[in-house]
Amino acid sequence: MKKSMLRTKNLVFEYIRRDEEGNVEDILRALDDVSLEVQKGEFVAILGHNGSGKSTVAKHINALLSPTEGAVFVNDMDTQDEEHLWDIRKSAGMVFQNPDNQIIATVVEEDVAFGPENVGVPTEEIWRRVEESLTAVGMTAYRTHSPNKLSGGQKQRVAIAGIMAMRPDCIILDEPTAMLDPVGRKEVMKTVHELNKIEGVTILLITHYMDEVIDADRVIVMDEGKIVMQGTPRQIFSQVDKLKGYRLDVPQVTELAYELKKQGVPMPDGILTVEEFTAAYTAVKAKYGQGSV
Amino acid sequence: METTRDLQECMVLDHVNYVYGEGTAYEKHALRDINLVIGKGEFIGLIGHTGSGKSTLVQHLNGLIAPTSGHIYYRGNDICAAGFNKKELRSKVGLVFQYPEHQLFETTVVKDVAFGPKNMGLPQLEIDMGTFAALKEAGVSEELYDASPFELSGGQKRRVAIAGVLAMQPDILILDEPTAGLDPRGRDEILDRIAQIHAEGNRTIILVSHSMEDVAKYASRLIVMKEGSVFCDGTPKEVFEAYKDLEKIGLAAPQVTYLSEALRQAGVALPHNATTLEEAKELLLADWKGGIR
Amino acid sequence: MIRDITIGQYYPVDSPIHRLDPRVKLAGTMLFLVSLFAFSGYLGYVIAAVFVGIVIKISKVPFRYIVRGLKPVLILLLFTLLFNVFLTREGKELFSWGIIHIYDQGLIIAGLMAVRLILLVIGTSLMTFTTTPNQLTDGLEKGLRGLKKIKVPVHEIAMMMSIALRFIPILIEETDKIMKAQQARGADFESGKLLQRAKALVPLLVPLVVSAFRRANDLALAMEARCYHGGDGRTKMKPLKYKKRDAVAYLILFGYVGLVIGSGFLF
């Protein structure tokens, strides 16, 4: 049976800017009536351009921000309920964009232990969890290294291990690859998918890289603080013009198929990979053409 | 714009090596025997992994790092020779670092952009003219001129930082990953702006990038670095034709190149592989029209 | 280059010194520092130097690496040296020119002072080379926990120190980067009069402070997200427990201190 992991209900968040005397100068609505739900075990991606409000949603789920209106639930616990604060942060861990600014300790294993230490896990149990988490992200060989000497992708995997050590049900990743090179991005995405498939961790990935959401179960597109599109990657990427209107992009093959269709080649919508394109093109050619196929 | 390879107009690297920490445990051969001629007016894409020597190489070009052996000539003069005016070189070879917005410091946009020309010791009139021309060239809108750089959005800040380098009127503009951290639209806007600076400003461009799609679209020459050496050097077509070699060093061609290859394997008779979306579209439309009943 | 500063950095090897309880090393460093100013007579110098030499040898930290850490204090060293050479008016005059008079005692005192300072810096840096900042702060936190009773926020101070140590290398690298970026815009950090040089630091300091605040903000969020809420109810991955070797180390330390102080009376 499907069970709800995360839920936001008509979430509104406003930044209030005040002048020097404390009078309200400006109210900025960063989130406007956002209602979304993520089931246990799902891999959901939130897409949106910089400033679309996607990171603000993430901070609400971790109770780092408190809603102006509406409510947020993690494992059916209200994030505004002070009593559950630590339980919420334990079950919904968060990985941030800058790998340098979330590693606290100067030795990899000590950093992974930071979370469990905070919630009072006994020493032997901490060691067990550190071992398991480092294995899950493939960083065991670096356990006694200094984080400063690691690559961006490795640092980000250490950060993920630090969250895993809290035994979360869900990990929220806020643009985890934005500051990484292609190799680092691949490393991190591979790790995240493995955690989802092997460890059964629910994933909420926030990004603006299209290629990272192709393998998600579901994609949510945000613009100006609102949810504007929702569906499977294929449904979302079928709407090339709409996505571009939201300052987003589609994979090259998706765009190419779309452009060909505009020129009268009857390509299907929502092509996501090279293989799909090749199959579709040879198929339409066989049907309508007499060329080489 | 015109390109010339007349050596008196070019930047020439002759057997350049750079070793740091020589004789210690940290010794690293960051550049190995680099020989290059950078023609006036070229648009070069510089690619390679993190740590392949790209950043070290571009810092040699404006004299921030001196080679441990070999020579670098700018318009026929050895830039390492005693008495060579390094300050002037730095204005002629403008270098925009990664995340350049992190170095903004002045109280207004105009003042910040004027920092470079002021350091050059130019008369006030020239400083002002250079500053406003650069702001225009970098696409900073006028109402932002007197704003504090810290209040701008990410994309605007980056333009201001680029303007700060353009204000010194460089012949060669080097940009180290100018699109890092921007969303897709922001990325396209900056790249289009750079293409315009190249076409209209009569400047040589060196674009350091991790995105094969971007360099394929904008550059007319690609230099691929591997472990401090030049791995290959040619037009995007030549470089991506040998995509199997690129894969060996962990890089890849644009997705449309793989698509062309897959289509040919499936029997679609494309005359050659595409490197850009536009090109793929033309090739496929030609194929479609040629093959239709 | 600015990145060559090794002082305050951990040197990751496994040695008996590395394995000692941080409280032993903290107390040892304190005792050593006190001992440096407690002895009189040349023998004290020899004993202190030999002691440091042996500890370096056991710690497996390369001597060259330690010497590199001395570079930043070179100016301070030179200053004290000159101060002593020119201002001491005792013993035989060796050299005189205008207002400058150099006496043999001045040279001796300056030399001895330099040795003391070098030993002092090596002694403290040995502690940081062999103790991770986390161990160090754990040691401080536990060693000073008595102060909690008089409302000294021992845990918070320890946490602040460990974070500072983690971010020092990052900020140094960042300084290097910003400096280069401003140099690429024609900034000149190397020449000019003092006032001009101080002015040239503004384009460096503003971005650096902005970045430090941004990092601090990010880090605070990341720590909160990982359930950090001060020292209450916290457990440790590596709790401090004295072992037999720590007792031995204490004995050796006291032996050393006794020897150094005693050496003054012996000769």
Side-chain angles (χ1 to χ4, degrees):
Chain A
M1 204 188 86
K2 290 261 170 194
K3 246 194 104 196
S4 162
M5 176 70 232
L6 312 170
R7 193 152 51 90
T8 73
K9 212 178 121 208
N10 307 102
L11 175 60
V12 172
F13 182 70
E14 285 168 346
Y15 285 105
I16 300 176
R17 245 189 23 193
R18 290 173 195 277
D19 62 12
E20 277 139 32
E21 279 120 46
N23 302 315
V24 175
E25 210 174 41
D26 199 3
I27 296 180
L28 202 86
R29 196 162 258 230
L31 292 180
D32 191 359
D33 196 21
V34 173
S35 296
L36 61 83
E37 188 161 12
V38 177
Q39 309 292 338
K40 282 227 159 89
E42 254 193 317
F43 190 123
V44 176
I46 301 186
L47 266 180
H49 63 81
N50 293 347
S52 61
K54 57 191 195 302
S55 294
T56 314
V57 173
K59 289 192 182 113
H60 274 90
I61 295 169
N62 206 263
L64 292 171
L65 289 177
S66 213
T68 311
E69 282 169 41
V72 179
F73 300 94
V74 174
N75 263 343
D76 292 323
M77 294 177 282
D78 190 333
T79 59
Q80 273 165 298
D81 198 343
E82 286 280 333
E83 220 179 290
H84 295 311
L85 186 60
W86 309 117
D87 285 328
I88 286 169
R89 287 187 181 158
K90 259 195 283 183
S91 45
M94 186 149 170
V95 176
F96 296 85
Q97 188 186 89
N98 190 328
D100 269 326
N101 297 358
Q102 53 187 317
I103 294 180
I104 291 111
T106 43
V107 179
V108 167
E109 60 179 11
E110 288 177 15
D111 187 73
V112 176
F114 181 76
E117 285 179 342
N118 286 334
V119 293
V121 176
T123 300
E124 304 88 76
E125 173 71 11
I126 295 179
W127 280 88
R128 209 166 21 245
R129 289 192 187 189
V130 167
E131 183 75 44
E132 280 171 15
S133 315
L134 284 172
T135 310
V137 301
M139 286 296 290
T140 319
Y142 297 89
R143 63 181 300 162
T144 57
H145 284 230
S146 154
N148 289 335
K149 301 261 151 64
L150 303 179
S151 72
Q154 290 171 331
K155 280 182 209 166
Q156 211 55 309
R157 277 152 66 199
V158 170
I160 294 173
I163 300 302
M164 282 300 287
M166 317 244 303
R167 298 261 168 90
D169 301 316
C170 168
I171 301 183
I172 303 134
L173 300 109
D174 188 2
E175 299 196 48
T177 60
M179 301 186 75
L180 307 182
D181 65 8
V183 179
R185 283 177 54 192
K186 260 190 221 145
E187 265 174 49
V188 169
M189 287 316 296
K190 188 170 158 259
T191 306
V192 172
H193 276 287
E194 279 170 5
L195 292 181
N196 179 243
K197 295 234 165 62
I198 300 168
E199 315 275 334
V201 180
T202 310
I203 301 286
L204 183 63
L205 172 72
I206 289 159
T207 184
H208 55 234
Y209 287 117
M210 309 309 123
D211 41 341
E212 290 174 1
V213 311
I214 289 175
D215 299 319
D217 297 325
R218 203 147 55 82
V219 180
I220 295 168
V221 181
M222 287 194 62
D223 186 59
E224 293 183 354
K226 291 193 186 72
I227 292 179
V228 289
M229 290 167 88
Q230 241 188 109
T232 62
R234 198 176 303 282
Q235 288 164 346
I236 298 292
F237 286 127
S238 303
Q239 307 171 57
V240 177
D241 277 339
K242 208 168 162 193
L243 279 172
K244 292 210 158 181
Y246 297 131
R247 296 180 65 104
L248 295 169
D249 211 355
V250 295
Q252 274 195 328
V253 283
T254 312
E255 186 163 5
L256 183 60
Y258 174 80
E259 288 289 325
L260 289 180
K261 193 179 174 190
K262 273 209 289 203
Q263 298 289 324
V265 185
M267 293 289 282
D269 284 331
I271 281 182
L272 299 178
T273 65
V274 167
E275 291 74 35
E276 285 175 22
F277 188 104
T278 311
Y281 185 75
T282 46
V284 293
K285 230 179 132 179
K287 195 167 168 198
Y288 299 95
Q290 60 186 18
S292 46
V293 179
Chain B
M1 74 165 292
E2 263 176 64
T3 53
T4 169
R5 303 207 89 187
D6 174 0
L7 290 188
Q8 287 303 311
E9 297 282 318
C10 297
M11 188 121 208
V12 181
L13 286 85
D14 177 27
H15 296 288
V16 169
N17 280 283
Y18 181 66
V19 184
Y20 64 78
E22 211 161 357
T24 70
Y26 296 92
E27 178 172 318
K28 203 183 164 212
H29 215 127
L31 292 181
R32 286 169 200 274
D33 197 34
I34 306 282
N35 296 293
L36 287 171
V37 175
I38 293 162
K40 189 169 185 294
E42 285 194 282
F43 195 131
I44 297 175
L46 184 59
I47 52 187
H49 282 304
T50 309
S52 61
K54 294 171 299 181
S55 295
T56 315
L57 178 65
V58 295
Q59 288 180 37
H60 274 77
L61 299 182
N62 76 344
L64 280 174
I65 303 180
T68 34
S69 72
H71 297 276
I72 301 172
Y73 301 93
Y74 173 67
R75 298 189 148 190
N77 298 313
D78 188 338
I79 68 167
C80 296
F84 183 86
N85 187 344
K86 280 234 165 113
K87 220 168 173 178
E88 198 188 312
L89 175 75
R90 286 183 192 153
S91 77
K92 290 295 157 207
V93 183
L95 175 53
V96 180
F97 278 83
Q98 235 182 77
Y99 296 101
E101 60 274 22
H102 290 176
Q103 32 159 307
L104 300 175
F105 67 96
E106 270 289 5
T107 46
T108 71
V109 166
V110 170
K111 275 194 198 164
D112 206 292
V113 174
F115 178 66
K118 237 183 187 161
N119 285 330
M120 296 294 115
L122 300 177
Q124 191 60 43
L125 185 66
E126 270 181 59
I127 293 178
D128 290 345
M129 276 169 34
T131 301
F132 286 109
L135 280 163
K136 216 166 160 195
E137 202 177 351
V140 180
S141 54
E142 267 175 53
E143 63 268 21
L144 301 177
Y145 286 6
D146 289 320
S148 156
F150 297 103
E151 285 173 357
L152 308 183
S153 77
Q156 287 166 337
K157 274 189 196 167
R158 193 158 296 183
R159 280 154 195 266
V160 170
I162 293 174
V165 173
L166 281 173
M168 299 193 299
Q169 306 287 337
D171 291 338
I172 303 179
L173 182 66
I174 307 168
L175 302 109
D176 193 351
E177 285 189 62
T179 62
L182 297 181
D183 59 32
R185 176 84 68 83
R187 176 199 68 204
D188 290 346
E189 283 167 359
I190 287 278
L191 289 172
D192 286 341
R193 182 53 69 172
I194 293 167
Q196 206 176 336
I197 290 169
H198 174 247
E200 291 168 11
N202 210 31
R203 304 187 207 281
T204 308
I205 304 281
I206 300 178
L207 177 69
V208 180
S209 176
H210 280 304
S211 164
M212 300 302 157
E213 280 78 13
D214 292 347
V215 289
K217 187 169 168 195
Y218 293 95
S220 54
R221 174 182 172 194
L222 298 185
I223 298 173
V224 185
M225 301 276 297
K226 182 208 168 196
E227 289 166 14
S229 316
V230 173
F231 179 74
C232 59
D233 180 356
T235 62
K237 191 126 265 154
E238 289 161 358
V239 171
F240 290 133
E241 202 55 50
Y243 68 91
K244 289 209 168 102
D245 291 333
L246 286 181
E247 282 173 358
K248 271 186 213 138
I249 62 167
L251 297 173
Q255 199 181 25
V256 287
T257 307
Y258 290 101
L259 178 67
S260 320
E261 197 62 34
L263 285 168
R264 290 213 282 189
Q265 299 250 326
V268 180
L270 299 176
H272 54 84
N273 285 347
T275 57
T276 66
L277 193 83
E278 268 313 298
E279 192 187 5
K281 186 176 149 191
E282 275 166 31
L283 288 177
L284 280 170
L285 279 179
D287 178 71
W288 176 258
K289 282 176 188 144
I292 205 153
R293 241 174 255 152
Chain C
M1 216 163 89
I2 197 159
R3 262 188 268 181
D4 290 339
I5 297 173
T6 57
I7 201 163
Q9 294 294 322
Y10 178 64
Y11 190 87
V13 286
D14 188 29
S15 82
I17 306 283
H18 283 74
R19 267 172 278 157
L20 283 181
D21 190 287
R23 284 169 292 179
V24 178
K25 286 184 264 187
L26 273 166
T29 311
M30 292 308 287
L31 282 173
F32 178 70
L33 295 188
V34 172
S35 82
L36 278 181
F37 295 91
F39 60 74
S40 52
Y42 296 114
L43 192 62
Y45 288 97
V46 178
I47 297 170
V50 168
F51 179 69
V52 165
I54 293 171
V55 176
I56 291 176
K57 192 79 203 150
I58 302 173
S59 76
K60 293 186 189 160
V61 181
F63 189 63
R64 264 183 32 210
Y65 196 77
I66 296 174
V67 171
R68 263 192 20 201
L70 284 175
K71 269 191 209 159
V73 288
L74 217 59
I75 296 173
L76 186 74
L77 205 66
L78 223 65
F79 195 72
T80 358
L81 215 78
L82 292 177
F83 205 72
N84 274 297
V85 167
F86 292 127
L87 293 183
T88 311
R89 296 278 153 93
E90 273 168 58
K92 210 169 69 184
E93 190 175 278
L94 295 174
F95 177 83
S96 155
W97 183 75
I99 54 157
I100 298 171
H101 305 274
I102 294 175
Y103 295 83
D104 63 347
Q105 277 301 314
L107 284 182
I108 291 167
I109 291 173
L112 292 180
M113 199 63 191
V115 173
R116 268 196 172 128
L117 270 176
I118 290 172
L119 286 175
L120 184 144
V121 174
I122 292 181
T124 28
S125 50
L126 257 178
M127 178 180 67
T128 54
F129 282 143
T130 60
T131 321
T132 67
N134 278 33
Q135 288 171 345
L136 200 64
T137 46
D138 280 356
L140 267 181
E141 195 178 342
K142 206 156 178 194
L144 300 179
R145 70 180 182 284
L147 295 178
K148 245 191 201 161
K149 290 200 188 85
I150 52 164
K151 300 248 155 95
V152 178
V154 180
H155 168 77
E156 284 73 13
I157 292 173
M159 181 56 82
M160 267 159 58
M161 278 182 50
S162 95
I163 289 172
L165 281 168
R166 146 115 176 91
F167 278 86
I168 283 169
I170 293 178
L171 288 177
I172 287 177
E173 204 174 301
E174 187 138 337
T175 310
D176 204 46
K177 233 174 4 196
I178 299 171
M179 235 166 138
K180 272 191 174 159
Q182 307 293 32
Q183 273 174 336
R185 293 170 74 190
D188 191 348
F189 296 107
E190 277 127 31
S191 56
K193 296 211 180 76
L194 198 64
L195 187 70
Q196 276 173 313
R197 277 203 195 195
K199 264 190 178 165
L201 287 180
V202 173
L204 182 63
L205 289 178
V206 173
L208 199 62
V209 169
V210 170
S211 143
F213 273 103
R214 190 177 42 232
R215 285 182 193 281
N217 200 16
D218 282 6
L219 191 71
L221 271 185
M223 286 172 75
E224 255 192 80
R226 284 165 78 181
C227 297
Y228 179 72
H229 52 283
D232 295 338
R234 244 182 142 241
T235 46
K236 296 269 181 194
M237 180 189 190
K238 298 170 182 169
L240 294 179
K241 256 188 225 132
Y242 277 130
K243 300 214 173 73
K244 214 168 125 196
R245 58 168 171 257
D246 299 309
V248 175
Y250 271 125
L251 280 178
I252 296 175
L253 260 170
F254 289 128
Y256 156 76
V257 173
L259 202 61
V260 162
I261 295 173
S263 72
F265 301 108
L266 278 174
F267 298 93

